[in-house]
mmCIF file with all atom_site columns, all heavy atoms in Angstrom:
data_model
loop_
_atom_site.group_PDB
_atom_site.id
_atom_site.type_symbol
_atom_site.label_atom_id
_atom_site.label_alt_id
_atom_site.label_comp_id
_atom_site.label_asym_id
_atom_site.label_entity_id
_atom_site.label_seq_id
_atom_site.pdbx_PDB_ins_code
_atom_site.Cartn_x
_atom_site.Cartn_y
_atom_site.Cartn_z
_atom_site.occupancy
_atom_site.B_iso_or_equiv
_atom_site.pdbx_formal_charge
_atom_site.auth_seq_id
_atom_site.auth_comp_id
_atom_site.auth_asym_id
_atom_site.auth_atom_id
_atom_site.pdbx_PDB_model_num
ATOM 1   N N   . THR A 1 334 ? -42.886 -12.684 -88.192 1.00 94.00 ? 334 THR A N   1
ATOM 2   C CA  . THR A 1 334 ? -43.260 -11.411 -87.577 1.00 94.00 ? 334 THR A CA  1
ATOM 3   C C   . THR A 1 334 ? -42.214 -11.071 -86.514 1.00 94.00 ? 334 THR A C   1
ATOM 4   O O   . THR A 1 334 ? -41.221 -11.768 -86.295 1.00 94.00 ? 334 THR A O   1
ATOM 5   C CB  . THR A 1 334 ? -44.648 -11.472 -87.033 1.00 94.00 ? 334 THR A CB  1
ATOM 6   O OG1 . THR A 1 334 ? -45.075 -10.182 -86.601 1.00 94.00 ? 334 THR A OG1 1
ATOM 7   C CG2 . THR A 1 334 ? -44.788 -12.439 -85.831 1.00 94.00 ? 334 THR A CG2 1
ATOM 8   N N   . ARG A 1 335 ? -42.504 -9.968  -85.810 1.00 91.00 ? 335 ARG A N   1
ATOM 9   C CA  . ARG A 1 335 ? -41.703 -9.637  -84.635 1.00 91.00 ? 335 ARG A CA  1
ATOM 10  C C   . ARG A 1 335 ? -42.532 -8.874  -83.600 1.00 91.00 ? 335 ARG A C   1
ATOM 11  O O   . ARG A 1 335 ? -43.529 -8.238  -83.970 1.00 91.00 ? 335 ARG A O   1
ATOM 12  C CB  . ARG A 1 335 ? -40.480 -8.806  -85.064 1.00 91.00 ? 335 ARG A CB  1
ATOM 13  C CG  . ARG A 1 335 ? -40.785 -7.578  -85.831 1.00 91.00 ? 335 ARG A CG  1
ATOM 14  C CD  . ARG A 1 335 ? -39.530 -6.847  -86.172 1.00 91.00 ? 335 ARG A CD  1
ATOM 15  N NE  . ARG A 1 335 ? -39.800 -5.471  -86.543 1.00 91.00 ? 335 ARG A NE  1
ATOM 16  C CZ  . ARG A 1 335 ? -40.041 -5.082  -87.780 1.00 91.00 ? 335 ARG A CZ  1
ATOM 17  N NH1 . ARG A 1 335 ? -40.007 -5.952  -88.768 1.00 91.00 ? 335 ARG A NH1 1
ATOM 18  N NH2 . ARG A 1 335 ? -40.330 -3.801  -88.022 1.00 91.00 ? 335 ARG A NH2 1
ATOM 19  N N   . LYS A 1 336 ? -42.124 -9.022  -82.374 1.00 90.00 ? 336 LYS A N   1
ATOM 20  C CA  . LYS A 1 336 ? -42.782 -8.311  -81.276 1.00 90.00 ? 336 LYS A CA  1
ATOM 21  C C   . LYS A 1 336 ? -44.270 -8.613  -81.116 1.00 90.00 ? 336 LYS A C   1
ATOM 22  O O   . LYS A 1 336 ? -45.037 -7.748  -80.751 1.00 90.00 ? 336 LYS A O   1
ATOM 23  C CB  . LYS A 1 336 ? -42.546 -6.814  -81.384 1.00 90.00 ? 336 LYS A CB  1
ATOM 24  C CG  . LYS A 1 336 ? -41.110 -6.458  -81.180 1.00 90.00 ? 336 LYS A CG  1
ATOM 25  C CD  . LYS A 1 336 ? -40.918 -4.971  -81.143 1.00 90.00 ? 336 LYS A CD  1
ATOM 26  C CE  . LYS A 1 336 ? -39.443 -4.653  -80.937 1.00 90.00 ? 336 LYS A CE  1
ATOM 27  N NZ  . LYS A 1 336 ? -39.154 -3.233  -80.980 1.00 90.00 ? 336 LYS A NZ  1
ATOM 28  N N   . TYR A 1 337 ? -44.688 -9.751  -81.535 1.00 92.00 ? 337 TYR A N   1
ATOM 29  C CA  . TYR A 1 337 ? -46.056 -10.152 -81.313 1.00 92.00 ? 337 TYR A CA  1
ATOM 30  C C   . TYR A 1 337 ? -46.063 -11.339 -80.405 1.00 92.00 ? 337 TYR A C   1
ATOM 31  O O   . TYR A 1 337 ? -45.261 -12.285 -80.517 1.00 92.00 ? 337 TYR A O   1
ATOM 32  C CB  . TYR A 1 337 ? -46.712 -10.619 -82.646 1.00 92.00 ? 337 TYR A CB  1
ATOM 33  C CG  . TYR A 1 337 ? -47.538 -9.571  -83.334 1.00 92.00 ? 337 TYR A CG  1
ATOM 34  C CD1 . TYR A 1 337 ? -47.324 -9.225  -84.648 1.00 92.00 ? 337 TYR A CD1 1
ATOM 35  C CD2 . TYR A 1 337 ? -48.579 -8.926  -82.641 1.00 92.00 ? 337 TYR A CD2 1
ATOM 36  C CE1 . TYR A 1 337 ? -48.098 -8.266  -85.286 1.00 92.00 ? 337 TYR A CE1 1
ATOM 37  C CE2 . TYR A 1 337 ? -49.327 -7.949  -83.286 1.00 92.00 ? 337 TYR A CE2 1
ATOM 38  C CZ  . TYR A 1 337 ? -49.097 -7.645  -84.589 1.00 92.00 ? 337 TYR A CZ  1
ATOM 39  O OH  . TYR A 1 337 ? -49.890 -6.712  -85.222 1.00 92.00 ? 337 TYR A OH  1
ATOM 40  N N   . ASP A 1 338 ? -46.963 -11.340 -79.418 1.00 94.00 ? 338 ASP A N   1
ATOM 41  C CA  . ASP A 1 338 ? -47.256 -12.578 -78.669 1.00 94.00 ? 338 ASP A CA  1
ATOM 42  C C   . ASP A 1 338 ? -48.193 -13.368 -79.528 1.00 94.00 ? 338 ASP A C   1
ATOM 43  O O   . ASP A 1 338 ? -49.244 -12.847 -79.911 1.00 94.00 ? 338 ASP A O   1
ATOM 44  C CB  . ASP A 1 338 ? -47.876 -12.250 -77.303 1.00 94.00 ? 338 ASP A CB  1
ATOM 45  C CG  . ASP A 1 338 ? -46.829 -11.689 -76.368 1.00 94.00 ? 338 ASP A CG  1
ATOM 46  O OD1 . ASP A 1 338 ? -45.674 -12.025 -76.491 1.00 94.00 ? 338 ASP A OD1 1
ATOM 47  O OD2 . ASP A 1 338 ? -47.217 -10.904 -75.461 1.00 94.00 ? 338 ASP A OD2 1
ATOM 48  N N   . ILE A 1 339 ? -47.852 -14.606 -79.834 1.00 95.00 ? 339 ILE A N   1
ATOM 49  C CA  . ILE A 1 339 ? -48.641 -15.381 -80.788 1.00 95.00 ? 339 ILE A CA  1
ATOM 50  C C   . ILE A 1 339 ? -49.341 -16.485 -80.064 1.00 95.00 ? 339 ILE A C   1
ATOM 51  O O   . ILE A 1 339 ? -48.768 -17.236 -79.289 1.00 95.00 ? 339 ILE A O   1
ATOM 52  C CB  . ILE A 1 339 ? -47.688 -15.941 -81.879 1.00 95.00 ? 339 ILE A CB  1
ATOM 53  C CG1 . ILE A 1 339 ? -47.001 -14.794 -82.615 1.00 95.00 ? 339 ILE A CG1 1
ATOM 54  C CG2 . ILE A 1 339 ? -48.491 -16.828 -82.842 1.00 95.00 ? 339 ILE A CG2 1
ATOM 55  C CD1 . ILE A 1 339 ? -45.843 -15.262 -83.454 1.00 95.00 ? 339 ILE A CD1 1
ATOM 56  N N   . VAL A 1 340 ? -50.665 -16.640 -80.327 1.00 95.00 ? 340 VAL A N   1
ATOM 57  C CA  . VAL A 1 340 ? -51.384 -17.768 -79.775 1.00 95.00 ? 340 VAL A CA  1
ATOM 58  C C   . VAL A 1 340 ? -52.039 -18.512 -80.941 1.00 95.00 ? 340 VAL A C   1
ATOM 59  O O   . VAL A 1 340 ? -52.797 -17.916 -81.700 1.00 95.00 ? 340 VAL A O   1
ATOM 60  C CB  . VAL A 1 340 ? -52.487 -17.265 -78.779 1.00 95.00 ? 340 VAL A CB  1
ATOM 61  C CG1 . VAL A 1 340 ? -53.229 -18.472 -78.252 1.00 95.00 ? 340 VAL A CG1 1
ATOM 62  C CG2 . VAL A 1 340 ? -51.872 -16.502 -77.648 1.00 95.00 ? 340 VAL A CG2 1
ATOM 63  N N   . LEU A 1 341 ? -51.751 -19.801 -81.052 1.00 94.00 ? 341 LEU A N   1
ATOM 64  C CA  . LEU A 1 341 ? -52.379 -20.623 -82.094 1.00 94.00 ? 341 LEU A CA  1
ATOM 65  C C   . LEU A 1 341 ? -53.251 -21.628 -81.394 1.00 94.00 ? 341 LEU A C   1
ATOM 66  O O   . LEU A 1 341 ? -52.766 -22.386 -80.532 1.00 94.00 ? 341 LEU A O   1
ATOM 67  C CB  . LEU A 1 341 ? -51.299 -21.361 -82.911 1.00 94.00 ? 341 LEU A CB  1
ATOM 68  C CG  . LEU A 1 341 ? -50.915 -20.767 -84.230 1.00 94.00 ? 341 LEU A CG  1
ATOM 69  C CD1 . LEU A 1 341 ? -50.380 -19.380 -84.052 1.00 94.00 ? 341 LEU A CD1 1
ATOM 70  C CD2 . LEU A 1 341 ? -49.886 -21.616 -84.889 1.00 94.00 ? 341 LEU A CD2 1
ATOM 71  N N   . ASP A 1 342 ? -54.467 -21.665 -81.756 1.00 93.00 ? 342 ASP A N   1
ATOM 72  C CA  . ASP A 1 342 ? -55.369 -22.615 -81.110 1.00 93.00 ? 342 ASP A CA  1
ATOM 73  C C   . ASP A 1 342 ? -56.009 -23.494 -82.182 1.00 93.00 ? 342 ASP A C   1
ATOM 74  O O   . ASP A 1 342 ? -56.659 -22.963 -83.130 1.00 93.00 ? 342 ASP A O   1
ATOM 75  C CB  . ASP A 1 342 ? -56.500 -21.814 -80.339 1.00 93.00 ? 342 ASP A CB  1
ATOM 76  C CG  . ASP A 1 342 ? -57.306 -22.739 -79.453 1.00 93.00 ? 342 ASP A CG  1
ATOM 77  O OD1 . ASP A 1 342 ? -57.015 -23.925 -79.467 1.00 93.00 ? 342 ASP A OD1 1
ATOM 78  O OD2 . ASP A 1 342 ? -58.190 -22.219 -78.771 1.00 93.00 ? 342 ASP A OD2 1
ATOM 79  N N   . ASN A 1 343 ? -55.812 -24.762 -82.089 1.00 91.00 ? 343 ASN A N   1
ATOM 80  C CA  . ASN A 1 343 ? -56.379 -25.717 -83.054 1.00 91.00 ? 343 ASN A CA  1
ATOM 81  C C   . ASN A 1 343 ? -55.944 -25.436 -84.511 1.00 91.00 ? 343 ASN A C   1
ATOM 82  O O   . ASN A 1 343 ? -56.778 -25.202 -85.366 1.00 91.00 ? 343 ASN A O   1
ATOM 83  C CB  . ASN A 1 343 ? -57.901 -25.727 -82.938 1.00 91.00 ? 343 ASN A CB  1
ATOM 84  C CG  . ASN A 1 343 ? -58.535 -26.916 -83.612 1.00 91.00 ? 343 ASN A CG  1
ATOM 85  O OD1 . ASN A 1 343 ? -57.845 -27.929 -83.821 1.00 91.00 ? 343 ASN A OD1 1
ATOM 86  N ND2 . ASN A 1 343 ? -59.795 -26.816 -83.960 1.00 91.00 ? 343 ASN A ND2 1
ATOM 87  N N   . VAL A 1 344 ? -54.674 -25.475 -84.716 1.00 90.00 ? 344 VAL A N   1
ATOM 88  C CA  . VAL A 1 344 ? -54.138 -25.404 -86.084 1.00 90.00 ? 344 VAL A CA  1
ATOM 89  C C   . VAL A 1 344 ? -53.625 -26.790 -86.417 1.00 90.00 ? 344 VAL A C   1
ATOM 90  O O   . VAL A 1 344 ? -52.835 -27.382 -85.713 1.00 90.00 ? 344 VAL A O   1
ATOM 91  C CB  . VAL A 1 344 ? -52.963 -24.392 -86.135 1.00 90.00 ? 344 VAL A CB  1
ATOM 92  C CG1 . VAL A 1 344 ? -52.358 -24.374 -87.475 1.00 90.00 ? 344 VAL A CG1 1
ATOM 93  C CG2 . VAL A 1 344 ? -53.544 -22.979 -85.788 1.00 90.00 ? 344 VAL A CG2 1
ATOM 94  N N   . THR A 1 345 ? -54.164 -27.337 -87.520 1.00 89.00 ? 345 THR A N   1
ATOM 95  C CA  . THR A 1 345 ? -53.902 -28.804 -87.767 1.00 89.00 ? 345 THR A CA  1
ATOM 96  C C   . THR A 1 345 ? -52.846 -29.039 -88.823 1.00 89.00 ? 345 THR A C   1
ATOM 97  O O   . THR A 1 345 ? -52.354 -30.148 -88.900 1.00 89.00 ? 345 THR A O   1
ATOM 98  C CB  . THR A 1 345 ? -55.173 -29.505 -88.099 1.00 89.00 ? 345 THR A CB  1
ATOM 99  O OG1 . THR A 1 345 ? -55.767 -28.837 -89.249 1.00 89.00 ? 345 THR A OG1 1
ATOM 100 C CG2 . THR A 1 345 ? -56.158 -29.509 -86.965 1.00 89.00 ? 345 THR A CG2 1
ATOM 101 N N   . GLY A 1 346 ? -52.520 -28.077 -89.654 1.00 91.00 ? 346 GLY A N   1
ATOM 102 C CA  . GLY A 1 346 ? -51.592 -28.340 -90.740 1.00 91.00 ? 346 GLY A CA  1
ATOM 103 C C   . GLY A 1 346 ? -50.144 -28.123 -90.306 1.00 91.00 ? 346 GLY A C   1
ATOM 104 O O   . GLY A 1 346 ? -49.848 -28.115 -89.123 1.00 91.00 ? 346 GLY A O   1
ATOM 105 N N   . ARG A 1 347 ? -49.311 -27.977 -91.336 1.00 94.00 ? 347 ARG A N   1
ATOM 106 C CA  . ARG A 1 347 ? -47.941 -27.668 -91.059 1.00 94.00 ? 347 ARG A CA  1
ATOM 107 C C   . ARG A 1 347 ? -47.782 -26.265 -90.497 1.00 94.00 ? 347 ARG A C   1
ATOM 108 O O   . ARG A 1 347 ? -48.460 -25.365 -90.999 1.00 94.00 ? 347 ARG A O   1
ATOM 109 C CB  . ARG A 1 347 ? -47.106 -27.859 -92.356 1.00 94.00 ? 347 ARG A CB  1
ATOM 110 C CG  . ARG A 1 347 ? -45.623 -28.041 -92.113 1.00 94.00 ? 347 ARG A CG  1
ATOM 111 C CD  . ARG A 1 347 ? -44.883 -28.507 -93.326 1.00 94.00 ? 347 ARG A CD  1
ATOM 112 N NE  . ARG A 1 347 ? -45.165 -27.644 -94.464 1.00 94.00 ? 347 ARG A NE  1
ATOM 113 C CZ  . ARG A 1 347 ? -45.695 -28.086 -95.616 1.00 94.00 ? 347 ARG A CZ  1
ATOM 114 N NH1 . ARG A 1 347 ? -46.020 -29.339 -95.748 1.00 94.00 ? 347 ARG A NH1 1
ATOM 115 N NH2 . ARG A 1 347 ? -45.917 -27.251 -96.598 1.00 94.00 ? 347 ARG A NH2 1
#
Side-chain angles (χ1 to χ4, degrees):
Chain A
T334 188
R335 56 181 197 267
K336 293 187 181 176
Y337 262 127
D338 286 332
I339 300 166
V340 180
L341 261 59
D342 191 359
N343 196 20
V344 175
T345 56
R347 198 166 53 238

